[in-house]
Amino acid sequence: MFTIGQKVVYPVHGAGVIESIENREVMGEIRSYFVLKLYTGELRVLIPVDTVEKAGMRCVCDQHKLHEVEDILRQQCSAWDENWNRRYRMNMEKIKSGDICQLAEVVRNLSLRDCAKGLSAGEKKMLDNARKILLSEVVLATDRPYAEAQADLEKIFVQKTD
């Protein structure tokens, strides 16, 4: 069970801190909700307590997992469907999985493709969102400033394209 003050990741939205647990009436039914303040922006998300597993909410990753993510970001682009629509759906499934390693694959693959061939507007937006989600977790897991984590991520891709 999650507790107030705990750092968690909510797939598609990113990392944040559980601010409170509130009871709300929705459609005549009273349910308990985690109030999650996301790291990026002032967005707050209400997540029904009884659906957190189904929603994929999890604790932020540890240092070992962050090293694994760095390794993934340094690897070459994985096999990739040339059909834009299938590629988009595959990447969206990885983002929705809530798995930071799959998210890192999306960031790596889209970043490398952007450098090599460019991206469509939809994929550029997906890359921007995936990077924000990834960085939000890195920042909360390491207690580092956002700009520092972002600079480290950029260094990885500058080294790969040189």
Side-chain angles (χ1 to χ4, degrees):
M1 180 60 135
F2 298 102
T3 58
I4 295 171
Q6 194 169 10
K7 298 174 184 178
V8 297
V9 176
Y10 189 59
V12 182
H13 293 291
V17 177
I18 297 174
E19 280 192 327
S20 63
I21 301 171
E22 297 180 2
N23 291 323
R24 299 252 177 130
E25 184 176 341
V26 177
M27 297 173 56
E29 184 180 341
I30 296 177
R31 294 177 74 182
S32 294
Y33 292 86
F34 288 114
V35 179
L36 179 62
K37 182 186 180 304
L38 296 175
Y39 175 78
T40 53
E42 291 298 313
L43 186 63
R44 285 180 170 69
V45 179
L46 295 176
I47 305 151
V49 170
D50 58 349
T51 65
V52 291
E53 280 187 37
K54 183 179 177 186
M57 193 165 89
R58 62 174 174 77
C59 296
V60 295
C61 64
D62 58 18
Q63 292 299 317
H64 174 73
K65 187 62 87 172
L66 285 177
H67 290 301
E68 193 176 328
V69 166
E70 285 181 25
D71 290 343
I72 290 168
L73 292 173
R74 292 181 199 288
Q75 293 170 4
Q76 294 300 315
C77 187
S78 55
W80 178 256
D81 197 315
E82 286 302 317
N83 180 290
W84 179 89
N85 194 24
R86 281 194 295 260
R87 188 172 62 237
Y88 186 88
R89 282 195 316 256
M90 179 186 70
N91 285 331
M92 188 54 76
E93 285 176 23
K94 288 182 178 185
I95 292 169
K96 287 180 178 179
S97 76
D99 182 333
I100 192 169
C101 292
Q102 288 189 36
L103 179 65
E105 285 180 23
V106 171
V107 170
R108 177 198 63 210
N109 290 346
L110 290 176
S111 295
L112 293 174
R113 186 171 180 93
D114 190 27
C115 290
K117 296 182 178 182
L119 296 172
S120 67
E123 285 182 312
K124 282 184 189 232
K125 186 175 179 180
M126 179 181 277
L127 174 58
D128 184 52
N129 186 48
R131 280 185 174 187
K132 286 178 183 174
I133 294 169
L134 181 64
L135 284 169
S136 70
E137 184 164 4
V138 169
V139 166
L140 286 183
T142 61
D143 291 322
R144 292 172 48 212
Y146 185 88
E148 186 180 308
Q150 186 175 27
D152 287 347
L153 178 66
E154 295 304 319
K155 279 184 213 170
I156 290 171
F157 291 110
V158 168
Q159 291 169 357
K160 286 182 74 67
T161 57
D162 285 348

